[in-house]
Amino acid sequence: MNSDANVIAVQGHRSSMANDNLYGQAQSPSYGSVPFTSRQDQPNKRIAVPVRVEPKVFFANERTFLSWLNFAIVLGSLALGLLNFGDSTGKIAGAAFTVIAMMVMVYALMLFQWRAERIRRRDAGPYDDRRGPVVLVVVLISAILVNFYLRFVYSQ
């Protein structure tokens, strides 16, 4: 057994009085070639640990993508109904909703690919997009307001 290792293990249990000489002055103990260092003197070191990405993260990304596509399909179905069975105002609204549905599909695909790439590279999160849903809501409300405006203007 290494005698230096025994000294280091014992040093952690020494009191501060053990470092004083007969005259009350502090001295730095030296035990051969091993200097005395306390745990408080050492800087906090960060250890890099590889991050394990669980499969549920990939599946959650795919579920979110499928949810966006579900919304786009429902919106596209509404647009198709307006285009086929609506009057002139309904056809304008149907065209607007068709364009919005296609934009949602493209947005969902881009977001899915962006998240999947970040997950594969094990980048730090968050993976959420705060602007996309807000833009979608603003565009949808605008299309609905245009539809109401055209309905009231052309109905008179």
Side-chain angles (χ1 to χ4, degrees), residues 70-101:
N70 185 24
F71 173 73
I73 289 171
V74 168
L75 188 62
S77 300
L78 171 75
L80 188 63
L82 285 172
L83 282 172
N84 286 329
F85 304 112
D87 55 356
S88 62
T89 304
K91 289 183 181 183
I92 293 170
F97 286 136
T98 301
V99 171
I100 293 170

Side-chain angles (χ1 to χ4, degrees), residues 125-136:
Y127 300 131
D128 58 340
D129 181 21
R130 296 176 186 257
R131 287 181 238 130
V134 173
V135 169
L136 176 68

Side-chain angles (χ1 to χ4, degrees), residues 7 33 61 71 84 103 111 120 123 130 146:
V7 171
S33 63
N61 187 26
F71 173 73
N84 286 329
M103 287 178 13
L111 189 62
R120 265 188 238 110
D123 287 347
R130 296 176 186 257
V146 166

Side-chain angles (χ1 to χ4, degrees), residues 4 14 18 33 43 47 49 76 83 93 95-96 108 124 143 156:
D4 291 339
R14 294 176 59 137
S33 63
I47 300 173
V49 178
L83 282 172
Q156 294 176 2

Side-chain angles (χ1 to χ4, degrees), residues 53-86:
V53 178
E54 296 182 9
K56 67 180 181 178
V57 177
F58 291 102
F59 294 140
N61 187 26
E62 188 175 351
R63 272 194 317 270
T64 305
F65 173 65
L66 292 175
S67 177
W68 277 104
L69 285 184
N70 185 24
F71 173 73
I73 289 171
V74 168
L75 188 62
S77 300
L78 171 75
L80 188 63
L82 285 172
L83 282 172
N84 286 329
F85 304 112

